[in-house]
Amino acid sequence: MKRKIIPLKPRGDVERQQDTGEPVRKAEELHAVPLQEVKRLIWMSAARAPAALRKQLIAIAERGERICPALFLLIASSGPVESKHTYRLAASLEALHLALDIHRDIAAPGDLSPKEAILCGDFYFGLALTLAGSHPLFVQGMSEVITRFAAAMINAPGQPADARDHNEYLQNLCNGGASIFALSCTLGASHGGYKPWQNEALSYYGLYLGIGLQLKREVETFRFSLRKKKLGPGAGLPLIYILEKSPLRDRLVPLLNKTMSDQEHEIFVREVNRIDPWSYTEQIIENCFSKANQFIELLRENMDSKTIQALKSFLC
């Protein structure tokens, strides 16, 4: 997954299609019991943590989306190879995802102080490596993701107003938060015994899926923040796009990270409606999911239909 170039213009030759005659089932449904085991492993580790952080760690574990272990389990179990360590390895990916999320949002207002966020994130980084410790490929992959994530965080703008343009932001997103999804897929492929070309196709699927899911989260955050009349870094691409395109940028930037007055809010909403960041961001999300779908289609002859359908179910 080194130095992936992300062409976001979709091709028209492959559409997102689904197998007929059988309802689409998500990975969470196909692997409900294994995901409960993943949750149990994470929760038990958090419950044994030092008392000062135990409550916070358990709350973080409860909020986990468990998408990464679901992807790993789905792909690994569909391959020709089985392993008794599958649950622990899936839990290691969930712990890593929790750690990345905590450290990414460390400056955002929330339930944790910056000190607590750093310590909780470090705990889950350590847990991820501990759970995967006997599997060098996992440790190596996790180390690369952590390194890429750290570099992306350093290069990321401290505030949306600091971003040079939306294309740079997208590339940084690719190098950062999306890499854990690519890792989950490629490790699932390796663990399941898939061939190298199949592994690469799945890693690209995970990468584009990760970008699309992160942008969907940013759209939701932007809408919520706009209603609350307070916009911050979590608003992501929609906000960066507005600041890049608006001739009123110098008037809008001072309104960030503060509660806007009714008049200020009206000015911001007017620019949002005029520039329409929704259409742009939704098109990027659609392009990402379309690219992810193309890589899944490459595997149609080499992967069972239930797995294909479950992977496609994330692309909506």
Side-chain angles (χ1 to χ4, degrees), residues 177-192:
S179 59
I180 178 65
F181 295 91
L183 178 69
S184 300
C185 292
T186 193
L187 289 178
S190 295
H191 199 64

Side-chain angles (χ1 to χ4, degrees), residues 86-265:
T86 302
Y87 293 171
R88 283 177 59 88
L89 295 174
S92 73
L93 290 167
E94 173 68 0
L96 179 60
H97 196 194
L98 292 174
L100 296 178
D101 275 352
I102 297 166
H103 277 199
R104 183 189 59 221
D105 297 334
I106 203 166
D111 300 331
L112 302 176
S113 68
K115 180 180 179 180
E116 289 175 326
I118 291 172
L119 293 174
C120 288
D122 288 349
F123 173 89
Y124 279 117
F125 277 131
L127 177 59
L129 295 172
T130 298
L131 289 169
S134 60
H135 292 75
L137 183 63
F138 277 70
V139 174
Q140 179 183 352
M142 289 181 175
S143 299
E144 182 178 335
V145 164
I146 293 170
T147 301
R148 289 165 63 91
F149 179 82
M153 290 293 289
I154 291 172
N155 293 328
Q159 299 292 337
D162 300 330
R164 283 186 284 186
D165 59 55
H166 61 278
N167 290 317
E168 181 184 55
Y169 180 81
L170 284 169
Q171 187 61 54
N172 208 50
L173 179 61
C174 166
N175 292 333
S179 59
I180 178 65
F181 295 91
L183 178 69
S184 300
C185 292
T186 193
L187 289 178
S190 295
H191 199 64
Y194 280 92
K195 297 176 181 179
W197 73 267
Q198 297 167 331
N199 187 315
E200 183 167 8
L202 286 164
S203 72
Y204 271 114
Y205 159 82
L207 185 65
Y208 285 108
L209 171 66
I211 298 172
L213 291 177
Q214 177 60 33
L215 291 179
K216 287 184 70 172
R217 176 191 291 184
E218 292 180 357
V219 168
E220 294 171 1
T221 300
F222 183 80
R223 291 185 185 276
F224 177 80
S225 301
L226 193 61
R227 289 196 301 269
K228 294 294 183 179
K229 302 181 181 181
K230 186 174 182 179
L231 293 164
L237 183 63
L239 179 53
I240 289 171
Y241 187 73
I242 289 171
L243 295 178
E244 181 183 344
K245 299 298 181 181
S246 175
L248 302 181
R249 175 188 172 90
D250 291 342
R251 292 182 61 185
L252 299 181
V253 169
L255 304 182
L256 304 180
N257 302 305
K258 55 167 276 190
T259 301
M260 291 180 272
S261 67
D262 290 342
Q263 184 179 8
E264 292 169 336
H265 184 248

Side-chain angles (χ1 to χ4, degrees), residues 11-25 205 286 289-301 304-316:
R11 300 176 188 170
D13 55 341
V14 180
E15 296 181 356
R16 247 186 281 165
Q17 55 186 358
Q18 296 172 356
D19 295 342
T20 59
E22 187 174 4
V24 173
R25 299 180 64 193
Y205 159 82
E286 179 65 23
F289 286 171
S290 176
K291 293 292 291 185
N293 182 73
Q294 290 172 30
F295 286 105
I296 290 301
E297 284 296 324
L298 293 176
L299 300 169
R300 183 166 287 278
E301 301 300 322
D304 67 88
S305 61
K306 288 185 179 180
T307 303
I308 291 285
Q309 289 181 18
L311 291 173
K312 283 174 173 284
S313 72
F314 287 105
L315 306 176
C316 57

